[in-house]
Amino acid sequence: MNYRKFVAATVVAASSLLASPAVYAVTSVHSPVLAMFGKSKTIKLTFLNDSTAPIEVKAGEQVIKLEAGKPVTVDLTPGTRVVSATATPTHEAGTLIAEITNALNGATIHIK
């Protein structure tokens, strides 16, 4: 009789130890509520016109005018395509200059 009580107590103790993490795991369901209401992440980068004439680039729908030799810092969302809006000796109008990714955060893009 003592043996049966010992086995029963061991089974109850073992099942309670194994059941505890499962009970807490069910109640800790992650719900990304903030993702729905949060701002989209922006990438901060700098464009620098290395040519002698002013040029314009188009980042999505935004037109950015770059004076010769002057840096312009912008915040853009990942996936934005930056194309040249004016023709230069090295870029035709409409040429893709960069596509914004997280790796470009804090970078400087030199355009000739």
XYZ file of all heavy atoms in Angstrom:
815
model
N 0.810 -1.188 0.000
C 0.000 0.000 0.000
C 0.858 1.257 0.000
O 0.538 2.215 -0.674
C -0.914 -0.060 1.228
C -1.973 0.965 1.210
S -3.247 0.493 0.073
C -4.514 1.513 0.623
N 1.939 1.231 0.758
C 2.848 2.357 0.794
C 3.466 2.619 -0.582
O 3.680 3.763 -0.958
C 3.961 2.086 1.810
C 3.882 3.016 2.985
O 3.070 3.920 2.981
N 4.714 2.785 3.963
N 3.767 1.553 -1.278
C 4.367 1.675 -2.608
C 3.416 2.378 -3.578
O 3.829 3.216 -4.375
C 4.765 0.283 -3.118
C 5.389 0.301 -4.485
C 6.673 0.805 -4.683
C 4.688 -0.165 -5.592
C 7.241 0.846 -5.938
C 5.250 -0.133 -6.849
C 6.526 0.378 -7.018
O 7.088 0.401 -8.267
N 2.125 2.060 -3.532
C 1.144 2.675 -4.417
C 0.984 4.167 -4.126
O 0.837 4.970 -5.033
C -0.202 1.968 -4.297
C -0.190 0.613 -4.920
C -1.560 0.009 -4.882
N -1.484 -1.343 -5.414
C -2.486 -2.175 -5.445
N -3.659 -1.800 -4.960
N -2.357 -3.367 -5.946
N 1.028 4.552 -2.873
C 0.942 5.966 -2.513
C 2.158 6.722 -3.017
O 2.056 7.852 -3.508
C 0.819 6.127 -0.996
C -0.505 5.741 -0.426
C -0.524 5.991 1.066
C -1.841 5.540 1.649
N -1.867 5.715 3.113
N 3.319 6.083 -2.919
C 4.552 6.712 -3.392
C 4.507 6.925 -4.908
O 4.862 7.980 -5.409
C 5.769 5.860 -2.993
C 7.061 6.382 -3.532
C 7.635 7.537 -2.995
C 7.702 5.762 -4.591
C 8.822 8.019 -3.485
C 8.886 6.249 -5.088
C 9.453 7.391 -4.532
N 4.065 5.885 -5.636
C 3.972 5.983 -7.096
C 2.937 7.046 -7.485
O 3.174 7.868 -8.386
C 3.624 4.613 -7.721
C 3.289 4.755 -9.203
C 4.771 3.642 -7.537
N 1.814 7.090 -6.814
C 0.779 8.072 -7.117
C 1.276 9.488 -6.829
O 1.041 10.420 -7.621
C -0.478 7.780 -6.311
N 1.982 9.681 -5.723
C 2.523 10.993 -5.381
C 3.581 11.420 -6.389
O 3.669 12.590 -6.784
C 3.113 10.975 -3.973
N 4.395 10.491 -6.846
C 5.422 10.789 -7.842
C 4.780 11.178 -9.174
O 5.222 12.129 -9.838
C 6.358 9.567 -8.035
O 6.888 9.191 -6.767
C 7.473 9.882 -8.999
N 3.730 10.475 -9.578
C 3.036 10.780 -10.832
C 2.385 12.164 -10.750
O 2.467 12.964 -11.692
C 1.998 9.681 -11.160
C 1.076 10.118 -12.292
C 2.694 8.384 -11.512
N 1.764 12.483 -9.632
C 1.127 13.790 -9.473
C 2.174 14.902 -9.485
O 2.007 15.942 -10.138
C 0.281 13.825 -8.169
C -0.155 15.239 -7.837
C -0.910 12.913 -8.298
N 3.279 14.720 -8.789
C 4.340 15.732 -8.754
C 4.963 15.928 -10.128
O 5.207 17.059 -10.567
C 5.401 15.337 -7.727
N 5.230 14.848 -10.837
C 5.846 14.950 -12.159
C 4.898 15.624 -13.153
O 5.317 16.459 -13.966
C 6.244 13.569 -12.656
N 3.624 15.263 -13.102
C 2.675 15.876 -14.051
C 2.471 17.359 -13.752
O 2.283 18.159 -14.665
C 1.349 15.124 -14.037
O 0.742 15.239 -12.759
N 2.519 17.745 -12.482
C 2.362 19.169 -12.169
C 3.583 19.961 -12.613
O 3.465 21.110 -13.028
C 2.100 19.362 -10.677
O 3.254 19.009 -9.921
N 4.775 19.365 -12.521
C 5.979 20.058 -12.999
C 5.983 20.212 -14.509
O 6.441 21.216 -15.043
C 7.238 19.312 -12.544
C 7.561 19.393 -11.055
C 8.754 18.507 -10.735
C 7.845 20.824 -10.655
N 5.471 19.206 -15.207
C 5.426 19.276 -16.666
C 4.278 20.159 -17.154
O 4.366 20.767 -18.216
C 5.301 17.881 -17.264
C 6.513 16.972 -17.059
C 6.199 15.570 -17.565
C 7.729 17.536 -17.747
N 3.206 20.237 -16.409
C 2.045 21.005 -16.830
C 2.225 22.505 -16.597
O 1.616 23.311 -17.282
C 0.805 20.518 -16.099
N 3.049 22.900 -15.663
C 3.206 24.318 -15.339
C 3.655 25.160 -16.517
O 3.044 26.184 -16.805
C 4.173 24.489 -14.173
O 3.628 23.910 -13.018
N 4.727 24.793 -17.236
C 5.112 25.618 -18.390
C 4.040 25.659 -19.474
O 3.856 26.668 -20.132
C 6.380 24.946 -18.907
C 6.905 24.161 -17.763
C 5.715 23.753 -16.968
N 3.306 24.571 -19.635
C 2.264 24.547 -20.659
C 1.137 25.510 -20.305
O 0.588 26.182 -21.174
C 1.729 23.127 -20.822
N 0.790 25.600 -19.042
C -0.275 26.512 -18.621
C 0.146 27.952 -18.851
O -0.621 28.768 -19.353
C -0.626 26.281 -17.132
C -1.538 27.378 -16.610
C -1.269 24.919 -16.959
N 1.382 28.283 -18.508
C 1.855 29.649 -18.711
C 2.058 29.972 -20.193
O 1.886 31.101 -20.608
C 3.150 29.892 -17.948
C 2.946 29.930 -16.459
C 3.514 28.975 -15.638
C 2.164 30.912 -15.877
C 3.318 28.999 -14.273
C 1.952 30.949 -14.513
C 2.535 29.988 -13.714
O 2.329 30.032 -12.371
N 2.417 28.984 -20.985
C 2.629 29.216 -22.406
C 1.320 29.572 -23.102
O 1.293 30.391 -24.011
C 3.253 27.987 -23.055
N 0.242 28.982 -22.694
C -1.052 29.255 -23.312
C -1.500 30.678 -22.996
O -2.072 31.357 -23.826
C -2.099 28.229 -22.833
C -3.490 28.621 -23.287
C -1.741 26.847 -23.341
N -1.205 31.167 -21.795
C -1.659 32.503 -21.425
C -0.754 33.612 -21.943
O -1.114 34.772 -21.871
C -1.757 32.635 -19.893
O -0.473 32.406 -19.331
C -2.747 31.645 -19.328
N 0.420 33.270 -22.461
C 1.333 34.304 -22.941
C 1.328 34.386 -24.462
O 2.355 34.333 -25.101
C 2.748 34.035 -22.439
O 3.238 32.857 -23.029
N 0.164 34.523 -25.044
C 0.035 34.662 -26.489
C 0.429 36.086 -26.869
O -0.107 37.050 -26.325
C -1.397 34.353 -26.949
C -1.559 34.603 -28.430
C -1.761 32.926 -26.592
N 1.369 36.206 -27.788
C 1.849 37.523 -28.207
C 0.882 38.121 -29.223
O 0.577 37.509 -30.238
C 3.242 37.405 -28.819
C 3.776 38.700 -29.321
N 4.083 39.739 -28.482
C 4.036 39.137 -30.567
C 4.514 40.760 -29.203
N 4.492 40.418 -30.469
N 0.430 39.310 -28.943
C -0.487 40.000 -29.838
C 0.155 41.304 -30.289
O 0.337 42.211 -29.483
C -1.804 40.279 -29.122
O -2.666 40.965 -29.978
N 0.507 41.446 -31.567
C 1.192 42.647 -32.038
C 0.243 43.832 -32.234
O -0.013 44.267 -33.350
C 1.805 42.200 -33.355
C 0.892 41.139 -33.844
C 0.377 40.436 -32.604
N -0.297 44.333 -31.142
C -1.230 45.453 -31.215
C -0.495 46.723 -31.624
O -1.001 47.529 -32.403
C -1.944 45.642 -29.861
C -2.809 46.886 -29.874
C -2.770 44.420 -29.544
N 0.719 46.921 -31.112
C 1.453 48.140 -31.422
C 1.850 48.225 -32.892
O 2.017 49.312 -33.424
C 2.692 48.240 -30.537
C 2.413 48.446 -29.052
C 3.716 48.486 -28.278
C 1.620 49.703 -28.817
N 1.998 47.091 -33.535
C 2.360 47.114 -34.950
C 1.251 47.736 -35.785
O 1.506 48.345 -36.818
C 2.655 45.707 -35.440
N 0.044 47.610 -35.328
C -1.082 48.153 -36.079
C -1.155 49.673 -35.943
O -1.527 50.362 -36.872
C -2.368 47.516 -35.548
C -3.516 47.587 -36.479
S -4.873 46.507 -35.998
C -5.113 46.862 -34.296
N -0.771 50.195 -34.771
C -0.917 51.611 -34.519
C 0.403 52.370 -34.597
O 0.410 53.585 -34.567
C -1.538 51.840 -33.135
C -2.915 51.276 -33.027
C -3.144 50.132 -32.286
C -3.969 51.870 -33.677
C -4.416 49.609 -32.190
C -5.239 51.350 -33.583
C -5.469 50.211 -32.843
N 1.522 51.677 -34.692
C 2.822 52.327 -34.686
C 3.156 52.969 -36.024
O 2.534 52.716 -37.050
N 4.163 53.834 -35.990
C 4.624 54.466 -37.222
C 5.492 53.479 -37.986
O 6.136 52.625 -37.405
C 5.461 55.710 -36.909
C 4.687 56.816 -36.234
C 5.511 58.071 -36.112
C 6.692 57.835 -35.213
N 7.474 59.036 -34.950
N 5.518 53.618 -39.294
C 6.391 52.771 -40.077
C 7.835 53.244 -39.902
O 8.096 54.430 -39.735
C 5.995 52.808 -41.554
O 6.111 54.120 -42.039
N 8.744 52.318 -39.940
C 10.149 52.631 -39.717
C 10.685 53.415 -40.908
O 10.401 53.102 -42.048
C 10.943 51.349 -39.541
C 12.412 51.594 -39.316
C 13.068 50.372 -38.770
C 14.550 50.535 -38.673
N 15.000 51.535 -37.767
N 11.462 54.452 -40.607
C 12.077 55.232 -41.671
C 13.582 55.077 -41.591
O 14.145 54.841 -40.532
C 11.710 56.724 -41.578
O 12.132 57.217 -40.306
C 10.224 56.939 -41.750
N 14.210 55.213 -42.727
C 15.657 55.117 -42.852
C 16.180 56.522 -43.102
O 15.731 57.209 -44.017
C 16.049 54.183 -44.027
C 15.366 52.824 -43.875
C 17.545 54.065 -44.142
C 15.708 52.084 -42.626
N 17.134 56.949 -42.282
C 17.721 58.285 -42.435
C 19.018 58.129 -43.234
O 19.894 57.363 -42.859
C 18.010 58.889 -41.068
C 18.583 60.290 -41.138
C 18.747 60.867 -39.748
C 17.999 62.172 -39.768
N 17.717 62.720 -38.482
N 19.099 58.865 -44.336
C 20.312 58.838 -45.142
C 20.544 60.194 -45.766
O 19.682 61.055 -45.755
C 20.256 57.737 -46.209
C 19.123 57.783 -47.220
C 19.643 58.246 -48.550
C 18.533 56.414 -47.340
N 21.746 60.369 -46.302
C 22.151 61.656 -46.861
C 22.509 61.481 -48.329
O 23.209 60.532 -48.692
C 23.370 62.207 -46.095
O 23.029 62.293 -44.713
C 23.774 63.571 -46.598
N 22.016 62.382 -49.162
C 22.403 62.440 -50.569
C 23.394 63.576 -50.728
O 23.202 64.665 -50.184
C 21.190 62.704 -51.467
C 20.233 61.557 -51.529
C 19.002 61.630 -50.900
C 20.557 60.403 -52.209
C 18.112 60.588 -50.946
C 19.676 59.346 -52.265
C 18.450 59.438 -51.624
N 24.454 63.341 -51.492
C 25.464 64.364 -51.734
C 25.699 64.465 -53.228
O 26.037 63.478 -53.886
C 26.774 64.029 -51.015
C 27.904 65.021 -51.162
C 27.510 66.375 -50.582
C 29.147 64.518 -50.468
N 25.507 65.659 -53.772
C 25.700 65.912 -55.196
C 27.181 66.212 -55.424
O 27.674 67.266 -55.049
C 24.824 67.090 -55.626
C 24.938 67.393 -57.096
O 25.686 66.750 -57.821
N 24.189 68.381 -57.542
N 27.897 65.285 -56.062
C 29.324 65.467 -56.347
C 29.580 66.117 -57.703
O 30.733 66.292 -58.091
C 30.050 64.114 -56.296
C 30.288 63.645 -54.868
O 30.268 64.485 -53.960
O 30.495 62.432 -54.669
N 28.539 66.482 -58.417
C 28.742 67.134 -59.709
C 28.805 68.649 -59.507
O 28.678 69.146 -58.397
C 27.608 66.765 -60.671
O 26.404 67.353 -60.253
N 28.965 69.364 -60.597
C 29.069 70.824 -60.516
C 27.738 71.523 -60.773
O 27.636 72.725 -60.559
C 30.102 71.334 -61.540
O 29.714 70.892 -62.841
C 31.485 70.813 -61.204
N 26.728 70.783 -61.204
C 25.416 71.371 -61.508
C 24.365 70.802 -60.555
O 24.495 69.670 -60.087
C 25.029 71.051 -62.945
N 23.321 71.563 -60.257
C 22.257 71.018 -59.415
C 21.497 69.918 -60.148
O 21.304 69.991 -61.364
C 21.357 72.223 -59.132
C 21.684 73.228 -60.156
C 23.080 72.956 -60.622
N 21.085 68.910 -59.418
C 20.310 67.814 -60.005
C 19.117 67.534 -59.107
O 19.072 67.955 -57.953
C 21.161 66.532 -60.202
C 21.717 66.033 -58.863
C 22.267 66.758 -61.193
C 22.414 64.696 -58.973
N 18.146 66.821 -59.658
C 16.969 66.426 -58.905
C 16.853 64.914 -58.945
O 17.099 64.280 -59.972
C 15.707 67.047 -59.491
C 15.596 68.526 -59.277
C 14.297 69.099 -59.822
O 13.557 68.380 -60.532
O 14.019 70.269 -59.528
N 16.491 64.353 -57.797
C 16.208 62.927 -57.719
C 14.783 62.775 -57.198
O 14.257 63.654 -56.522
C 17.203 62.175 -56.807
C 18.595 62.201 -57.395
C 17.199 62.720 -55.403
N 14.183 61.665 -57.540
C 12.814 61.407 -57.131
C 12.829 60.176 -56.223
O 13.251 59.092 -56.637
C 11.951 61.165 -58.367
C 10.492 61.172 -58.092
C 9.720 61.131 -59.403
C 8.244 61.209 -59.119
N 7.466 61.101 -60.345
N 12.408 60.360 -54.968
C 12.318 59.274 -54.003
C 10.848 58.959 -53.786
O 10.153 59.675 -53.078
C 12.981 59.673 -52.698
N 10.371 57.929 -54.448
C 8.935 57.652 -54.441
C 8.241 58.747 -55.208
O 8.510 58.964 -56.379
N 7.369 59.498 -54.562
C 6.695 60.633 -55.189
C 7.350 61.962 -54.817
O 6.998 62.996 -55.344
C 5.217 60.656 -54.776
C 4.428 59.453 -55.253
C 4.403 59.352 -56.765
O 4.246 60.385 -57.449
O 4.566 58.221 -57.261
N 8.295 61.932 -53.898
C 8.962 63.140 -53.411
C 10.134 63.516 -54.319
O 10.987 62.696 -54.628
C 9.476 62.873 -51.987
C 10.229 63.998 -51.357
C 10.758 63.591 -49.977
O 10.637 62.453 -49.560
N 11.365 64.542 -49.302
N 10.169 64.772 -54.759
C 11.273 65.265 -55.588
C 12.245 66.000 -54.664
O 11.857 66.889 -53.910
C 10.763 66.203 -56.699
C 11.923 66.777 -57.498
C 9.811 65.457 -57.621
N 13.522 65.600 -54.744
C 14.561 66.185 -53.889
C 15.548 66.915 -54.779
O 16.125 66.317 -55.695
C 15.283 65.092 -53.083
C 14.277 64.307 -52.249
C 16.359 65.695 -52.196
C 14.821 63.027 -51.674
N 15.734 68.212 -54.542
C 16.676 69.005 -55.315
C 18.023 68.996 -54.589
O 18.093 69.329 -53.411
C 16.173 70.435 -55.492
C 17.024 71.237 -56.428
C 16.367 72.544 -56.792
C 17.237 73.234 -57.829
N 16.596 74.405 -58.382
N 19.080 68.631 -55.308
C 20.421 68.549 -54.737
C 21.303 69.626 -55.352
O 21.601 69.583 -56.543
C 21.038 67.168 -54.998
C 20.247 65.963 -54.483
C 20.887 64.671 -54.961
C 20.170 65.994 -52.978
N 21.679 70.580 -54.536
C 22.610 71.607 -55.003
C 24.007 71.002 -55.100
O 24.328 70.041 -54.396
C 22.617 72.796 -54.036
C 21.296 73.530 -53.946
C 20.896 74.209 -55.234
O 21.777 74.656 -55.996
O 19.684 74.289 -55.489
N 24.853 71.579 -55.944
C 26.206 71.054 -56.158
C 27.021 71.135 -54.870
O 27.155 72.194 -54.277
C 26.902 71.828 -57.266
N 27.540 69.976 -54.426
C 28.408 69.923 -53.267
C 27.729 70.024 -51.918
O 28.395 70.014 -50.890
N 26.413 70.111 -51.872
C 25.701 70.264 -50.600
C 24.957 68.978 -50.247
O 24.219 68.438 -51.069
C 24.720 71.427 -50.662
C 25.405 72.764 -50.812
C 24.414 73.883 -50.747
C 25.134 75.214 -50.906
N 24.212 76.335 -50.953
N 25.116 68.503 -49.008
C 24.394 67.293 -48.597
C 22.947 67.603 -48.218
O 22.639 68.679 -47.725
C 25.182 66.811 -47.387
C 25.818 68.038 -46.835
C 26.069 68.946 -48.008
N 22.072 66.648 -48.466
C 20.662 66.753 -48.090
C 20.305 65.465 -47.342
O 20.459 64.368 -47.878
C 19.754 66.914 -49.326
C 18.290 66.896 -48.930
C 20.089 68.185 -50.078
N 19.848 65.616 -46.095
C 19.466 64.461 -45.292
C 17.959 64.259 -45.381
O 17.191 65.209 -45.244
C 19.885 64.664 -43.825
O 21.294 64.904 -43.785
C 19.565 63.456 -42.984
N 17.549 63.008 -45.618
C 16.128 62.685 -45.765
C 15.792 61.440 -44.954
O 16.664 60.649 -44.618
C 15.751 62.450 -47.251
C 15.877 63.712 -48.052
C 16.570 61.346 -47.857
N 14.514 61.282 -44.636
C 13.978 60.080 -44.003
C 13.052 59.409 -45.006
O 12.064 59.999 -45.436
C 13.198 60.426 -42.735
C 14.086 60.925 -41.619
O 15.229 60.453 -41.524
O 13.640 61.790 -40.844
N 13.379 58.161 -45.360
C 12.586 57.432 -46.341
C 12.212 56.066 -45.784
O 12.933 55.508 -44.955
C 13.379 57.265 -47.648
C 13.793 58.559 -48.351
C 14.745 58.259 -49.491
C 12.570 59.291 -48.865
N 11.117 55.524 -46.258
C 10.691 54.198 -45.822
C 11.406 53.127 -46.639
O 11.748 53.354 -47.801
C 9.174 54.034 -45.981
O 8.823 54.283 -47.336
C 8.423 54.973 -45.066
N 11.664 51.971 -46.041
C 12.297 50.885 -46.795
C 11.451 50.491 -48.004
O 10.225 50.483 -47.946
C 12.365 49.740 -45.778
C 12.324 50.411 -44.457
C 11.475 51.619 -44.639
N 12.117 50.201 -49.096
C 11.441 49.836 -50.339
C 11.256 50.991 -51.290
O 10.873 50.791 -52.446
N 11.529 52.228 -50.835
C 11.399 53.392 -51.704
C 12.489 53.351 -52.761
O 13.646 53.093 -52.470
C 11.520 54.694 -50.887
O 10.537 54.686 -49.864
C 11.342 55.913 -51.761
N 12.117 53.607 -53.989
C 13.086 53.630 -55.090
C 13.490 55.075 -55.368
O 12.634 55.933 -55.509
C 12.482 52.982 -56.332
C 12.188 51.499 -56.123
C 11.414 50.904 -57.282
N 12.066 51.064 -58.550
C 12.890 50.174 -59.120
N 13.133 49.047 -58.502
N 13.432 50.407 -60.293
N 14.780 55.308 -55.443
C 15.322 56.639 -55.736
C 15.826 56.611 -57.170
O 16.705 55.817 -57.518
C 16.464 57.006 -54.766
C 17.027 58.369 -55.101
C 15.978 56.964 -53.331
N 15.238 57.486 -58.022
C 15.629 57.564 -59.431
C 16.032 58.992 -59.756
O 15.623 59.940 -59.098
C 14.486 57.107 -60.370
C 14.143 55.647 -60.156
C 13.259 57.960 -60.186
N 16.861 59.127 -60.777
C 17.270 60.472 -61.188
C 16.128 61.113 -61.965
O 15.534 60.503 -62.842
C 18.540 60.412 -62.034
O 18.306 59.685 -63.213
N 15.825 62.361 -61.610
C 14.749 63.085 -62.290
C 15.298 63.950 -63.417
O 14.575 64.307 -64.339
C 13.980 63.949 -61.290
N 16.582 64.305 -63.340
C 17.229 65.083 -64.400
C 18.392 64.275 -64.956
O 19.011 63.482 -64.252
C 17.761 66.427 -63.858
O 18.663 66.176 -62.787
C 16.637 67.313 -63.375
N 18.688 64.495 -66.210
C 19.792 63.785 -66.851
C 21.123 64.441 -66.477
O 21.232 65.664 -66.409
C 19.610 63.797 -68.362
N 22.106 63.616 -66.188
C 23.471 64.069 -65.914
C 24.398 63.309 -66.847
O 23.970 62.376 -67.527
C 23.856 63.788 -64.441
O 23.902 62.377 -64.230
C 22.882 64.424 -63.473
N 25.686 63.665 -66.891
C 26.598 62.902 -67.746
C 26.707 61.421 -67.367
O 27.007 60.586 -68.214
C 27.936 63.602 -67.545
C 27.583 64.990 -67.137
C 26.321 64.863 -66.359
N 26.442 61.080 -66.112
C 26.563 59.679 -65.693
C 25.225 58.971 -65.516
O 25.192 57.748 -65.438
C 27.344 59.585 -64.364
O 26.693 60.416 -63.402
C 28.774 60.027 -64.539
N 24.118 59.724 -65.425
C 22.791 59.125 -65.236
C 21.794 59.737 -66.200
O 21.713 60.945 -66.325
C 22.263 59.373 -63.812
C 23.083 58.765 -62.730
N 23.084 57.430 -62.456
C 23.945 59.325 -61.840
C 23.902 57.182 -61.453
N 24.444 58.330 -61.068
N 21.025 58.874 -66.861
C 19.916 59.361 -67.665
C 18.724 59.601 -66.748
O 18.666 59.065 -65.646
C 19.547 58.322 -68.723
C 20.618 58.079 -69.763
C 20.183 57.005 -70.755
O 18.992 56.656 -70.775
O 21.048 56.525 -71.491
N 17.782 60.412 -67.193
C 16.574 60.646 -66.399
C 15.808 59.330 -66.260
O 15.629 58.602 -67.225
C 15.702 61.697 -67.061
N 15.389 59.017 -65.035
C 14.654 57.785 -64.784
C 15.528 56.609 -64.382
O 15.009 55.528 -64.125
N 16.845 56.801 -64.309
C 17.755 55.726 -63.936
C 17.665 55.471 -62.435
O 17.657 56.402 -61.633
C 19.208 56.082 -64.294
O 19.274 56.392 -65.681
C 20.152 54.945 -63.978
N 17.613 54.195 -62.054
C 17.566 53.834 -60.644
C 18.909 54.128 -59.987
O 19.953 53.684 -60.451
C 17.225 52.348 -60.472
C 17.186 51.826 -59.044
C 16.028 52.447 -58.281
C 17.085 50.318 -59.036
N 18.877 54.904 -58.905
C 20.098 55.213 -58.157
C 20.226 54.272 -56.968
O 21.284 53.714 -56.716
C 20.096 56.688 -57.704
C 20.156 57.585 -58.937
C 21.241 56.981 -56.769
C 19.975 59.051 -58.641
N 19.140 54.087 -56.227
C 19.165 53.201 -55.063
C 17.756 52.776 -54.707
O 16.790 53.468 -55.020
C 19.802 53.902 -53.873
N 17.652 51.629 -54.039
C 16.404 51.210 -53.420
C 16.677 51.151 -51.927
O 17.621 50.511 -51.481
C 15.943 49.851 -53.939
C 14.592 49.482 -53.406
C 13.957 48.332 -54.161
O 14.383 48.017 -55.274
O 13.018 47.760 -53.603
N 15.866 51.834 -51.155
C 16.127 52.026 -49.727
C 15.902 50.724 -48.961
O 14.849 50.095 -49.087
C 15.226 53.144 -49.159
C 15.367 54.418 -49.979
C 15.535 53.396 -47.698
C 16.777 54.929 -50.106
N 16.925 50.334 -48.183
C 16.854 49.167 -47.307
C 17.361 49.567 -45.928
O 17.924 50.649 -45.752
C 17.715 48.008 -47.841
O 19.083 48.418 -47.849
C 17.291 47.580 -49.233
N 17.205 48.686 -44.974
C 17.690 48.948 -43.613
C 19.195 49.094 -43.577
O 19.738 49.771 -42.702
C 17.253 47.835 -42.667
C 15.771 47.836 -42.440
O 15.123 48.850 -42.527
N 15.214 46.670 -42.149
N 19.914 48.494 -44.504
C 21.370 48.578 -44.535
C 21.857 49.984 -44.860
O 23.000 50.317 -44.567
C 21.928 47.581 -45.561
N 21.020 50.822 -45.444
C 21.419 52.181 -45.804
C 21.201 53.196 -44.683
O 21.457 54.372 -44.874
C 20.634 52.635 -47.052
C 21.005 51.943 -48.351
C 20.072 52.405 -49.461
C 22.442 52.207 -48.709
N 20.739 52.755 -43.527
C 20.473 53.668 -42.429
C 21.765 54.387 -42.012
O 22.746 53.742 -41.647
C 19.867 52.925 -41.235
C 19.219 53.860 -40.253
O 18.956 55.022 -40.561
N 18.943 53.351 -39.077
N 21.781 55.713 -42.096
C 22.954 56.514 -41.744
C 23.976 56.648 -42.851
O 25.016 57.280 -42.654
N 23.712 56.108 -44.015
C 24.677 56.136 -45.115
C 24.608 57.460 -45.876
O 23.640 58.207 -45.785
C 24.403 54.984 -46.082
N 25.668 57.734 -46.642
C 25.717 58.884 -47.544
C 25.832 58.343 -48.958
O 26.735 57.571 -49.260
C 26.914 59.792 -47.226
O 26.787 60.246 -45.882
C 26.966 60.971 -48.162
N 24.923 58.775 -49.833
C 24.932 58.356 -51.229
C 25.472 59.517 -52.041
O 24.889 60.595 -52.081
C 23.533 57.944 -51.702
C 23.047 56.743 -50.879
C 23.525 57.626 -53.189
C 21.653 56.301 -51.215
N 26.615 59.294 -52.708
C 27.245 60.317 -53.564
C 26.715 60.128 -54.984
O 26.771 59.046 -55.539
C 28.773 60.157 -53.556
C 29.376 60.426 -52.218
N 29.901 61.643 -51.899
C 29.529 59.651 -51.121
C 30.359 61.598 -50.649
N 30.141 60.397 -50.166
N 26.249 61.225 -55.578
C 25.709 61.194 -56.935
C 26.514 62.155 -57.794
O 26.704 63.315 -57.439
C 24.222 61.587 -56.940
C 23.438 60.660 -56.023
C 23.665 61.562 -58.354
C 22.016 61.082 -55.808
N 26.990 61.670 -58.949
C 27.724 62.507 -59.896
C 26.885 62.804 -61.089
O 26.062 62.076 -61.502
C 29.014 61.833 -60.345
C 30.034 61.831 -59.280
C 31.344 61.369 -59.847
C 32.395 61.513 -58.768
N 33.715 61.369 -59.251
